[in-house]
Amino acid sequence: MTVVARRSHELKRLEGKVALVTGAGRRKGLGEAICQRLASEGAKVVVTDLGVPAADLPADRIGTRSELDEVVAQIRATGGEASACLLDVRNELQVQEAVAFAKSTYGGLDILVNNAGVGYLMAPFTEMPLERWDLVLGVNLTGAFLCSKHAAQAMIEQGRGGRIINIASVAAKSGSMYLSAYAASKHGMIGFTRSAALELGLHKITVNAICPNHVTTGLGSVQNALRAEQRGQTIDEYLTEMRSRIPLGRVGLAEDTAKACAFLCSAEADYITAEAMNVSGGQEVH
Ligand SMILES: NC(=O)c1ccc[n+]([C@@H]2O[C@H](COP(=O)([O-])OP(=O)(O)OC[C@H]3O[C@@H](n4cnc5c(N)ncnc54)[C@H](O)[C@@H]3O)[C@@H](O)[C@H]2O)c1
């Protein structure tokens, strides 16, 4: 018998599913790759992001409305189904509206990916203003809580199970110099993942975290520039040194996280919950 190899993105493991992804309206971000992958596997995707300037976030670090529309257009151009929705994950009313949008547009909600994150505010914690700490914890951790709360309510009401995926980081498992608020928020995300998984198991809703290592997105390139400067290196020198510490010999790609996300959303991961899965080429091992 001839075995015809199918590339995994040709799999349609998510047909009939509706997904909502936060912080996904930035080109070349992890969120964009996750939306593209989920849509390519058959999910209908609500692509959400701030889309408008936020008073307390640098304008050049957030997804704009036109970028959000481009992400949606790109998915549609490749035959996928997607819609845009503005969402500041810190705003509970907007979170409720985004969940309602998924239900009214696509008839339900099966998958939530908490991807929105702030990871570019680097400083020694002894010099960190309280507002900056609150900002990072507010987006990365409280935002994931609010979105999970309302998505889980919708999933429980539907009664057909569900998936919540929290995009954490290798900084969820080890300390990260000058990124104390970020590391604290990501460590917190794992604690939240494990606790929510305990509460939602009876409803057949799984909750897992993914812990990527460095990916050169908008956020990742700011981290590279600052780390290289601190070490007196060029960015290329810094990246070469980073690669030497990764057993698989390269930094992460947005697609690596997107593939792991699609797997955890699929029926193949039915019995996997409360995990914090490294997608780090072997860089993080616990
Ligand atoms: N790039 C990396 O190296 C890396 C590694 C590990 C984990 N991560 C995580 O992956 C996720 C995506 O990061 P990325 O590298 O694609 O960064 P990115 O900066 O490209 O994307 C982050 C997105 O979050 C959005 N966002 C910020 N505040 C928001 C808010 N209040 N409400 C809604 N959206 C908001 C931004 O608009 C942006 O689109 C983040 O949670 C990040 O911590 C990134």
Side-chain angles (χ1 to χ4, degrees), residues 9-25:
H9 72 268
E10 291 166 349
L11 294 173
K12 293 289 178 193
R13 297 178 292 190
L14 304 177
E15 263 173 358
K17 304 293 183 195
V18 180
L20 188 154
V21 185
T22 68

Side-chain angles (χ1 to χ4, degrees), residues 21-34 48-52 54 56-64 67 86-91 94 114-120 135 138-140 143 147 166-172 182 185-186 189 210-224 242 252 254 257 279:
V21 185
T22 68
R26 211 161 175 224
R27 300 311 307 270
K28 308 209 183 306
L30 297 189
E32 178 186 32
I34 290 166
T48 75
D49 209 320
L50 284 163
V52 288
D56 53 353
L57 290 167
D60 60 341
R61 301 267 180 264
I62 65 170
T64 61
E67 274 186 296
L86 298 186
L87 171 60
D88 184 331
V89 296
R90 299 169 294 180
N91 182 322
Q94 286 186 24
N114 285 309
N115 170 75
V118 171
Y120 43 78
L135 171 64
V139 176
N140 298 6
C147 293
N166 294 319
I167 306 302
S169 168
V170 290
Y182 183 75
S185 72
K186 297 295 186 179
M189 205 175 216
I210 295 176
C211 301
N213 64 338
H214 171 77
V215 184
T216 307
T217 58
L219 179 155
S221 44
V222 175
Q223 289 181 358
N224 286 345
M242 185 193 289
T257 295
V279 178

Side-chain angles (χ1 to χ4, degrees), residues 109-144:
L109 182 63
D110 304 285
I111 295 164
L112 167 71
V113 183
N114 285 309
N115 170 75
V118 171
Y120 43 78
L121 299 172
M122 299 173 76
F125 84 90
T126 48
E127 294 165 21
M128 189 184 300
L130 176 60
E131 310 82 68
R132 187 174 282 203
W133 174 273
D134 286 343
L135 171 64
V136 175
L137 271 288
V139 176
N140 298 6
L141 186 56
T142 310

